[in-house]
Amino acid sequence: MRSAPFLSVVVPCFNEEQVLSATHPRLVAALAGTCPFEVIYVDDGSRDGTWEVLADLQQTDDRVRALRLSRNFGHQIAATAGLDAATGDAVVLIDADLQDPPEVIPAMVQRWREGYDVAYGRRLARDGESVFKLGTASAFYRIFNAVASIEAPLDTGDFRLLDRKVVDALGSMREGHRFLRGMVSWLGFRQIAVPYHRAARAAGHTHYPLRRMLRLAADGILSFSTLPLRLATFAGALACLAGMGGLLASAAMRIAGGAWPSATAAVLIAMAMMGGLQLLCLGIAGEYLGRIYVESCRRPLYALAERRGVAVDRAGRTPQPHLYRAG
Ligand code: UDP
Ligand code: MG
């Protein structure tokens, strides 16, 4: 079935002119001897000479494809544009800055040949990154797994190989706030980790300052968890219960022959009950909002891993359920 596989490598680039001339030769050298391939560079609205470098590369190497987005859409969207354009039987997603060593790709291809559908790079060590970035990244993966409805592998970025059926299934998920690694986990399929050592950036500087990291983290958690909404329900129920407890306690005290509680205590009890009730109602509205969010993502209901004795679509690929797609 995979006698002559073809590989696509997708490289999102934002202001990477300094590093691209080093990236391409290293990619090509690493891929030599694996299988025929194409490299799809996506210029994500760079403001430096990235596009000129890519256009030059495309002139000199016919395995290079170059896409230029109309403005900076962010890494996750740039990667999606590359995945949409990829024609390979498998697609590798890799950063342009050589932090993900291209030399790891053959190990991913090997796993794919063994029958795995997703081979994701797991970072064993990271050079050249601040203690703060390491700490926050590590905390994020752990919080994500604690609150999200799916389990994402720890210490794993977007550097990974995806089989064609995963790429097709991912292509049918058109949600705007994209958290690709979570979406791939959501899809399932046979996944395996490929450990590697994350290097320091070859040149240039990170485009993920704290603000963008927080946004990505929020996209990840909000896309796969309605827990934040549920917090209102919990808090409301708690306050309501406390108020009711106070009411019952004062009634019991009065029955036992004591006095009614002071005016202050009565006001506090009433406030806890009313405030709690309001939060509870907000939480219920939130539950519906959560459902509306999930529905509005228009994710496919499921993805197929295999099919026997069932018709094949025209491209000979697994038909994906587009039941809930717009348009
Ligand atoms: N990138 C992109 N668009 C952006 C930001 C980053 O395409 O708006 C690309 C960037 O060129 C690189 C990859 O995404 O290939 C990862 O970005 P970066 O190295 O800045 O992030 P870090 O590795 O520091 O998390
Ligand atoms: Mg980087």
Side-chain angles (χ1 to χ4, degrees):
M1 190 177 111
R2 287 169 180 165
S3 51
F6 184 73
L7 193 68
S8 301
V9 181
V10 168
V11 193
C13 313
F14 178 57
N15 294 346
E16 301 284 11
E17 69 173 348
Q18 292 176 41
V19 79
L20 280 174
S21 48
T23 306
H24 190 65
R26 245 184 85 184
L27 251 180
V28 169
L31 289 169
T34 49
C35 49
F37 63 89
E38 63 179 354
V39 185
I40 302 174
Y41 290 100
V42 183
D43 175 5
D44 183 18
S46 296
R47 289 182 270 274
D48 64 357
T50 297
W51 179 249
E52 287 66 33
V53 176
L54 293 181
D56 272 355
L57 276 178
Q58 202 274 325
Q59 288 289 311
T60 51
D61 186 339
D62 61 6
R63 296 166 297 189
V64 171
R65 325 256 177 265
L67 295 174
R68 186 183 195 180
L69 302 188
S70 56
R71 63 169 172 84
N72 179 241
F73 283 89
H75 169 254
Q76 301 283 303
I77 303 281
T80 303
L83 287 169
D84 287 344
T87 60
D89 302 298
V91 183
V92 171
L93 198 56
I94 187 169
D95 284 356
D97 59 8
L98 294 173
Q99 280 197 283
D100 308 326
E103 294 72 25
V104 178
I105 298 176
M108 292 181 171
V109 172
Q110 180 54 35
R111 290 310 218 170
W112 174 54
R113 289 204 161 116
E114 288 166 13
Y116 287 98
D117 300 309
V118 177
Y120 56 85
R122 168 171 279 158
R123 299 153 175 176
L124 288 178
R126 293 168 141 202
D127 288 344
E129 282 182 317
S130 63
V131 176
F132 180 73
K133 178 143 187 170
L134 293 183
T136 46
S138 159
F140 168 72
Y141 291 118
R142 281 151 187 89
I143 294 173
F144 182 83
N145 278 344
V147 306
S149 54
I150 52 163
E151 188 140 331
L154 294 175
D155 305 321
T156 300
D158 286 317
F159 180 31
R160 54 186 63 215
L161 176 146
L162 307 171
D163 181 76
R164 168 51 54 189
K165 50 181 181 274
V166 182
V167 177
D168 285 347
L170 198 59
S172 68
M173 299 171 80
R174 304 311 289 183
E175 55 213 71
H177 293 271
R178 302 179 80 73
F179 184 62
L180 288 172
R181 57 199 92 156
M183 291 160 71
V184 172
S185 295
W186 182 87
L187 278 169
F189 294 99
R190 295 189 65 200
Q191 310 212 3
I192 185 92
V194 176
Y196 76 103
H197 186 104
R198 188 157 163 95
R201 218 173 209 287
H205 58 84
T206 177
H207 306 105
Y208 270 102
L210 184 63
R211 179 175 49 84
R212 284 190 114 161
M213 267 169 47
L214 285 176
R215 201 194 302 159
L216 184 69
D219 277 350
I221 289 175
L222 296 177
S223 305
F224 290 98
S225 168
T226 46
L227 192 73
L229 279 174
R230 207 154 281 169
L231 288 180
T233 322
F234 287 144
L238 220 64
C240 221
L241 280 177
M244 272 157 67
L247 193 66
L248 287 179
S250 15
M253 270 156 67
R254 172 75 185 146
I255 290 167
W260 278 112
S262 68
T264 324
V267 167
L268 282 178
I269 288 172
M271 266 173 57
M273 283 181 67
M274 288 313 294
L277 208 65
Q278 280 175 0
L279 266 181
L280 211 64
C281 292
L282 203 68
I284 292 170
E287 291 292 323
Y288 284 101
L289 201 67
R291 279 164 189 253
I292 292 172
Y293 169 72
V294 170
E295 293 294 333
S296 71
C297 283
R298 295 181 178 275
R299 289 182 190 151
L301 297 181
Y302 55 86
L304 288 177
E306 258 181 78
R307 175 198 59 227
R308 294 190 189 184
V310 176
V312 178
D313 72 355
R314 264 180 298 147
R317 290 174 183 161
T318 308
Q320 289 301 327
H322 299 302
L323 297 177
Y324 275 74
R325 280 187 75 181

